Amino acid sequence: MAQKKQRKGKIIIKQEFCKSCEYCIDACPKGAIKLDDKYNEKGYYPAVHSGEDCNGCGTCAIVCPEGIIEVWRE
């Protein structure tokens, strides 16, 4: 039986607009998002890619109340 090819994805988060709600972190099935350890200009710890593999599912972008996450798939 042929093995399914795993999707590869990439996320871009506009950190200057992130308010640290953590919805994207909770929603990510791969654990590919975390909060940064540095504040953004508004005083929030913005969400960033954690280094884990993103599959491009788009769940993070759907739950983001600010609409600041772009998802790309290979």
Side-chain angles (χ1 to χ4, degrees):
M1 210 156 123
Q3 192 176 28
K4 263 184 142 179
K5 185 178 178 185
Q6 186 174 347
R7 288 184 186 161
K8 289 279 190 174
K10 177 183 174 183
I11 55 174
I12 299 172
I13 302 170
K14 297 177 185 168
Q15 295 181 353
E16 64 273 18
F17 299 109
C18 181
K19 294 182 180 172
S20 306
C21 70
E22 298 186 38
Y23 291 157
C24 58
I25 295 169
D26 293 338
C28 181
K30 296 294 224 168
I33 305 171
K34 66 177 185 172
L35 291 182
D36 200 354
D37 57 353
K38 297 176 188 155
Y39 291 116
N40 62 15
E41 292 177 7
K42 295 183 181 180
Y44 296 102
Y45 292 109
V48 294
H49 186 262
S50 70
E52 296 296 320
D53 288 334
C54 172
N55 65 2
C57 70
T59 306
C60 57
I62 293 168
V63 300
C64 179
E66 302 300 317
I68 60 168
I69 303 174
E70 291 180 37
V71 180
W72 299 88
R73 285 188 189 163
E74 290 182 8

